[in-house]
Amino acid sequence: MSFYQHIQSLLTEIYGPEKASRAYERICGLMQKFPVPQSSPKRSFSESDTVLITYADSLKKDGEPPLRTFHRFARDYLKGLFSTVHFLPFFPYSSDDGFSVKDFFAIDPDLGSWADVEAVGEDFGLMFDMVLNHISAESQWFEKYLGEAKGYENLAIEADPEADLSRVTRPRALPLLTPFRKKSGESVLLWTTFSEDQIDLNYRSLDVLEKMVSVLLYYVRKGARVIRFDAIAYLWKEIGTTCIHLPQTHAMVKLFRAILDVVAPSVLILTETNVPHPENISYFGNGRDEAQMVYNFTLPPLLLHAFLSENARPLSRWAADLRSPSPETTFFNFTASHDGIGIRPLEGVLPEKEIMKLARMAKKRGAGAAMKRNPDGSESPYELNITYLDAILSGESIQGVDPAKKFLASQAIQYTLPGVPATYIHSLLGSRNWDEGVRITGRARSINREKLPVSMVRNKLKDPETLCSRIFHSYAHMIKVRKRQPAFHPGAAMQVLDIHPAVFAVARRCDRQTIYAFINISSRKVPLSMTDSGLPICTRDLLTGNRLETNLLQLAPYEVLWLTPLCSC
């Protein structure tokens, strides 16, 4: 089956034969309207793939567009570390720090211009957010919907107030429906899954489909190498269902993938689905027809649990089953993001009492807890709002423990696992909880979204005594070392080694190299017998360059070793 036949088949699956024919004509017209090089090969992953996650204005300088400020900082400090920069939404918006988009095709003038984005793209690969599920209530599209303009009549999802919506999965403890009045005077209840300012798009409408395919292709034209599908799991709605992960949603992901396979096979899709692991990895499809990358959402809370409990066993058991379905797919490994630390991905991995204990321990460091509404009307924790540094330092303080060393040990595990590692800028810079931001905005998520004066950051990086400098320079060294190791290729084999409850240990192997990674996740020394564990005693630590010839390793608290064998002894 050709790509075009595949597109037509997917449209038929979603819309039925008659409507699919019209949809196919529209999409083919768009693909011709946004020409891109047809000869670009499919992109493959490598050990040199690393991603920085940032808002366009995470770094600021008076009188200068933040995108330009970031680019200058990135050239000075981030080249050679990160292959790709993920800019969180930089479009004009009305709420949710960018995720309530008013215009998908424009750059927020307070941030800079498309020329500034393209300039960053000359030095780094670019990842853009595509906010597929919803649009701002202040957008021109929605204004046209309220005005019943041609082509916008079915933009939003109008709900019957008598419909039974009790099974709908709710990611927020907010009303699912919001009343609006059209200019004609008609009152309607509209789906607003995430907030009253975020109007869910109606993908049953071919006008909506055509508009969003236009957005996808525009981002390709603007240089995106990876496109992140935000909140994709909620895309399609069917009354009487959970309205999450529906077959039509998966078919839509396959459709967007099929379009990119024709016009830009080097562009990758990353799906954002903050849900339990089996649901999350369903967006790999068969390994060749949906997303090439999925967020590894279970990693951040499970890794945090390991460090706070000083027990690596649950993390090790989970990691032993990490597999992507084909060489074309891999995990997007992260610990921190602009959002909080999701709790739902721990379902089925940890007992409920351990999940609640984790939330209580994190709260000791000032974490907030966002809530979701359950089908029975009750509420339960959805995410912890806290910087990852403060989360890792949760619990009782331990005298003599270096906070930078403990935090970097957590990041080393992320960079050891199969997949593409991604680091949030506030983790790289050792940011702490921004409590003032929460007071200013009234939003718990602001705790991890501080806007930093770039001059302050530069000064801290120059001072080796600051936590910012100690974390950044050690982190940068780890990344540089990792990028040179073929055994850290996303597709290289991984074997979890069960050698001690307080040690996360794996062997990563390819045909050119073997690496034994040991990370002590505890505050105490841990002795390891190499021969008892069947491991070589003649090794070199990649991080320090030190040669080790010993049967008994004494792992210091939060010590990280990446060892390669030097001989067969």
Side-chain angles (χ1 to χ4, degrees), residues 14-15 133 157 201-205 232-238 241-249 252:
I14 299 167
Y15 295 108
N133 183 74
I157 304 171
L201 291 168
N202 177 19
Y203 280 86
R204 281 185 167 82
S205 164
I232 186 67
Y234 303 93
L235 192 73
W236 196 274
K237 283 79 174 176
E238 287 285 345
T241 74
T242 60
C243 296
I244 186 172
H245 314 311
L246 295 186
Q248 296 93 331
T249 295
M252 290 295 297

Side-chain angles (χ1 to χ4, degrees), residues 89-137:
F90 40 38
F91 317 107
Y93 70 97
S94 55
S95 64
D96 200 15
D97 285 342
F99 284 90
S100 186
V101 179
K102 293 166 67 174
D103 185 347
F104 289 112
F105 298 96
I107 299 291
D108 185 338
D110 290 338
L111 301 177
S113 65
W114 275 116
D116 294 319
V117 174
E118 290 162 355
V120 177
E122 293 176 4
D123 293 309
F124 302 88
L126 295 174
M127 183 191 302
F128 296 169
D129 263 284
M130 186 168 174
V131 186
L132 282 154
N133 183 74
H134 48 262
I135 193 166
S136 167

Side-chain angles (χ1 to χ4, degrees), residues 158-395:
E158 299 178 5
D160 179 351
E162 302 301 319
D164 180 6
L165 303 177
S166 60
R167 293 188 61 198
V168 175
T169 299
R170 299 296 296 118
R172 300 284 187 274
L174 295 170
L176 175 63
L177 306 178
T178 302
F180 287 91
R181 187 179 296 276
K182 295 182 179 180
K183 290 183 179 177
S184 64
E186 179 188 2
S187 294
V188 289
L189 281 174
L190 301 183
W191 281 65
T192 52
T193 297
F194 291 93
S195 80
E196 63 183 11
D197 184 49
Q198 294 167 303
I199 312 300
D200 286 28
L201 291 168
N202 177 19
Y203 280 86
R204 281 185 167 82
S205 164
L206 296 189
D207 293 321
V208 169
L209 175 67
E210 183 177 15
K211 286 175 174 60
M212 297 312 290
V213 171
S214 295
V215 172
L216 177 76
L217 296 179
Y218 187 73
Y219 293 168
V220 172
R221 186 169 140 187
K222 287 298 184 181
R225 292 177 60 191
V226 184
I227 299 177
R228 175 186 180 270
F229 283 4
D230 176 69
I232 186 67
Y234 303 93
L235 192 73
W236 196 274
K237 283 79 174 176
E238 287 285 345
I239 304 301
T241 74
T242 60
C243 296
I244 186 172
H245 314 311
L246 295 186
Q248 296 93 331
T249 295
H250 282 283
M252 290 295 297
V253 178
K254 292 176 183 178
L255 175 64
F256 288 125
R257 166 71 184 271
I259 291 168
L260 290 177
D261 280 345
V262 172
V263 301
S266 63
V267 175
L268 305 178
I269 291 172
L270 167 65
T271 49
E272 186 260 340
T273 53
N274 192 355
V275 292
H277 192 71
E279 299 171 38
N280 188 35
I281 62 175
S282 70
Y283 288 85
F284 279 138
N286 66 14
R288 291 177 171 82
D289 64 348
E290 286 195 54
Q292 292 95 338
M293 288 194 292
V294 301
Y295 273 83
N296 207 345
F297 269 110
T298 304
L299 176 60
L302 191 56
L303 182 63
L304 177 59
H305 173 268
F307 275 81
L308 298 191
S309 65
E310 299 197 355
N311 178 9
R313 287 273 162 76
L315 175 65
S316 297
R317 285 195 298 268
W318 169 80
D321 291 330
L322 276 181
R323 290 178 182 82
S324 59
S326 79
E328 294 182 23
T329 59
T330 197
F331 291 99
F332 189 77
N333 292 327
F334 75 112
T335 55
S337 73
H338 61 294
D339 288 340
I341 302 169
I343 298 300
R344 276 206 70 208
L346 290 178
E347 294 174 13
V349 179
L350 289 180
E352 182 66 23
K353 65 178 182 179
E354 286 295 308
I355 297 174
M356 298 310 295
K357 181 180 177 181
L358 175 66
R360 288 194 299 271
M361 293 181 74
K363 280 188 175 182
K364 290 183 180 180
R365 298 298 298 188
M371 308 299 286
K372 70 179 182 71
R373 183 164 296 163
N374 302 316
D376 63 1
S378 65
E379 295 183 2
S380 57
Y382 174 75
E383 69 179 18
L384 302 176
N385 300 116
I386 188 170
T387 66
Y388 209 77
L389 175 58
D390 274 293
I392 285 292
L393 299 180
S394 299

Side-chain angles (χ1 to χ4, degrees), residues 8-42:
Q8 197 160 29
S9 174
L10 289 167
L11 290 169
T12 301
E13 178 183 341
I14 299 167
Y15 295 108
E18 181 183 350
K19 201 170 178 181
S21 178
R22 289 184 279 127
Y24 181 73
E25 289 182 10
R26 292 194 188 194
I27 287 175
C28 287
L30 288 172
M31 292 165 70
Q32 295 167 0
K33 185 179 177 182
F34 288 86
V36 294
Q38 300 293 306
S39 59
S40 56
K42 282 191 175 182

